[in-house]
Amino acid sequence: MTVKINIVNAALPLRDESRLYSLTAEDGKWTAISKQSGELAQPGAVALDDWDGAEPADGRLTLDAKGSIALPGFADAHMHLDKSFSLPKVGNVSGTLEEAVQNYAAAAPGFGKEEIKARMMRAALQSIACGTTALRSHLDFHVKHGPEVALRTVEAALEVKAMLAPYADLQLFPMIPYYDLTEKALEIAAEAVSMGVTGLGGAPHLSPTPEADIDRIMALADRLGCPVDLHADESDDPSVRTAAHIARRTKEYGWSGKVAVGHLCSLAAMPDADAEPIIRQLAEAGVGAVTLPGANLYLQGRRDRHPVRRGVTRVKELLAAGIPLAAASDNIHDPFHPFGRGDLLLIGLVTAYAAHMGSPADMRAVLRMITANPAAVMGLHGYGMEVGNDADFVILDAATPEELFAMVPERRWVWRRGRCLKAAARRAEWSVSRLRHYWEDATERVRFRQPTQVNA
Ligand SMILES: [Zn+2]
């Protein structure tokens, strides 16, 4: 049976905002996306707000989005699903990155596979419920405790990936140790790749020999034919500059689009004149970048007396250089970062605060940082709301990006391959019941409307 959904009156803020759209998906792919001349009164359409999420028996469904925003499914390009929700077991008294790394490494051998799977599932499912349909997780890979500890996490992650496959794409990057990068460690990493992880990760800026480590990780990736995603320069020290070396090697290998760097905090700690050439090198080499504003606002600047640095990379400069820059969750309720719930819209809002991005054009750029940009960083195929692509998308209870970031709406409808994974409760059920009458009247009167123009 063909499953066909038709959604009318959807707002697509990353396209033409002066119009509403009709969207059609058949058997999981977009088959039509067309601009409407005005608001459509489609006979037989069910108002999204009245829909309980059930598919009709004949597989045909027409919904009226009533001007709500539809975005491609969010893509979270940098997570640590295996560490998520470990905070009750692994604390961090000082709140520094160093203590987080130390405490987690000491606790790692004690985590069983089922526990790791349960933590990964919880974080992933929460993310999916918030609208994310593609996730990239780095994985703890502590070979110093023996290969079984490192490979236990890999096995857990691969099982979670298989379980989640109908609901989201999950990419996995084991973090090659930054201390004592032995041949044995590289061998075990190669084994992880043969088991099915996506590519190689690591945090070479923490190594005493960062450039040599980067060269060896890249050489292994070359041999295995897999992508590379490195934590880079997560430090307030402006002399930490592994990003430049990663860019150099990426260019030499001709790996544009295959290499990503996360954090880049030291870029924000150095003067413009030093940061500019590094940003240029990253752009020229085609390296993708990820900012993790939640974790870095929390972890960085810990040794500063006032003024205290904020640790978030140069978001506007990286975007201006044409680098695909994603905003991502990083850690969730673990010793690295006690907050978060896998909601990329919330991470977008934190990005907007941290990078001073509140203009109309900025807000739309932030939306790209949780959709198209991470899709580019992750090398996703068939991503985005174009005919022929996968119908992975989220509809949110907001009419404009301004409303989206002001309200960070709870009410979302999440779709994967044209099937609804999560529908929102009706507005009337969700609102405060005793005040419902006033609430409905007030929300109708104070509505966010389609903007007539957006400043570039
Ligand atoms: Zn990370």
Side-chain angles (χ1 to χ4, degrees):
M1 182 184 72
T2 297
V3 175
K4 181 174 177 181
I5 53 162
N6 185 23
I7 300 172
V8 298
N9 300 321
L12 302 188
L14 300 181
R15 285 207 182 187
D16 178 356
E17 285 187 68
S18 65
R19 301 289 188 84
L20 293 171
Y21 283 80
S22 293
L23 318 169
T24 308
E26 283 175 72
D27 291 334
K29 303 265 187 207
W30 292 116
T31 52
I33 295 176
S34 50
K35 217 181 264 192
Q36 300 172 189
S37 53
E39 211 165 310
L40 274 189
Q42 185 82 355
V46 181
L48 198 58
D49 195 49
D50 294 329
W51 183 52
D52 61 5
E55 279 173 7
D58 66 358
R60 305 201 161 224
L61 180 66
T62 301
L63 293 168
D64 186 343
K66 305 234 179 219
S68 290
I69 281 179
L71 291 171
F74 300 149
D76 206 326
H78 183 133
M79 306 182 85
H80 292 267
L81 295 177
D82 57 324
K83 291 188 171 90
S84 63
F85 300 105
S86 63
L87 187 60
K89 283 196 171 177
V90 191
N92 181 357
V93 177
S94 67
T96 58
L97 177 60
E98 293 73 17
E99 187 183 333
V101 168
Q102 236 168 45
N103 292 359
Y104 197 88
F111 296 131
K113 188 166 129 185
E114 289 308 311
E115 180 178 357
I116 296 168
K117 274 170 71 177
R119 293 205 307 243
M120 293 189 79
M121 279 302 274
R122 171 158 184 189
L125 292 175
Q126 277 189 207
S127 304
I128 293 167
C130 290
T132 295
T133 53
L135 310 87
R136 174 177 285 190
S137 183
H138 297 266
L139 296 175
D140 206 48
F141 199 70
H142 275 299
V143 293
K144 70 176 169 192
H145 299 303
E148 62 284 358
V149 171
L151 293 176
R152 182 198 293 162
T153 306
V154 170
E155 279 170 28
L158 288 168
E159 287 173 29
V160 167
K161 180 184 161 113
M163 284 192 280
L164 286 177
Y167 313 109
D169 296 308
L170 176 56
Q171 300 184 342
L172 302 168
F173 284 72
M175 294 183 70
I176 294 182
Y178 54 86
Y179 50 82
D180 190 23
L181 180 51
T182 59
E183 281 309 310
K184 181 82 190 152
L186 291 170
E187 238 171 72
I188 302 168
E191 192 180 335
V193 172
S194 72
M195 287 164 72
V197 301
T198 315
L200 299 177
H205 63 280
L206 297 174
S207 161
T209 55
E211 299 199 345
D213 285 22
I214 291 163
D215 292 349
R216 295 173 73 198
I217 294 170
M218 296 283 223
L220 181 61
D222 187 36
R223 176 154 78 78
L224 302 173
C226 67
V228 173
D229 188 335
L230 298 170
H231 285 61
D233 310 339
E234 189 176 10
S235 167
D236 292 320
D237 178 351
S239 72
V240 176
R241 298 176 183 193
T242 64
H245 190 68
I246 295 168
R248 239 180 340 260
R249 286 287 179 263
T250 303
K251 199 170 176 185
E252 284 165 13
Y253 277 112
W255 280 353
S256 175
K258 274 187 68 182
V259 177
V261 286
H263 295 291
L264 302 174
C265 307
S266 70
L267 269 187
M270 66 182 75
D272 290 349
D274 290 6
E276 277 160 17
I278 297 175
I279 292 171
R280 203 165 46 237
Q281 272 178 284
L282 289 168
E284 281 170 11
V287 175
V290 188
T291 182
L292 296 309
N296 288 137
L297 283 167
Y298 183 74
L299 289 170
Q300 306 306 128
R302 291 278 175 166
R303 288 192 183 79
D304 288 355
R305 310 291 296 179
H306 284 284
V308 175
R309 286 170 289 185
R310 310 312 312 279
V312 177
T313 192
R314 292 173 176 258
V315 171
K316 283 182 178 167
E317 289 91 334
L318 289 162
L319 288 173
I323 293 169
L325 175 67
S329 287
D330 211 5
N331 300 75
I332 296 172
H333 200 60
D334 69 12
F336 295 80
H337 182 241
F339 312 125
R341 56 173 188 178
D343 182 358
L344 269 187
L345 186 58
L346 203 56
I347 291 295
L349 179 64
V350 175
T351 305
Y353 272 109
H356 295 161
M357 294 178 76
S359 75
D362 286 340
M363 285 191 214
R364 284 142 186 90
V366 173
L367 284 185
R368 283 189 284 274
M369 290 175 71
I370 58 174
T371 55
N373 294 9
V377 169
M378 296 167 73
L380 298 179
H381 299 292
Y383 179 89
M385 297 179 72
E386 302 289 341
V387 169
N389 284 350
D390 293 324
D392 291 7
F393 62 106
V394 54
I395 298 182
L396 303 108
D397 184 15
T400 65
E402 284 71 16
E403 184 172 19
L404 207 53
F405 286 113
M407 302 309 296
V408 191
E410 288 290 332
R411 301 179 71 246
R412 305 177 194 188
W413 292 259
V414 185
W415 307 72
R416 162 87 163 165
R417 307 291 194 256
R419 309 200 91 143
C420 188
L421 300 179
K422 178 183 174 273
R426 293 185 66 236
R427 194 177 261 266
E429 287 156 12
W430 174 81
S431 58
V432 183
S433 61
R434 273 174 180 274
L435 297 173
R436 187 179 302 165
H437 171 73
Y438 300 105
W439 195 86
E440 283 177 358
D441 182 57
T443 49
E444 181 53 35
R445 281 164 187 269
V446 190
R447 275 183 70 185
F448 286 73
R449 304 281 178 190
Q450 302 295 108
T452 47
Q453 65 174 67
V454 177
N455 300 329

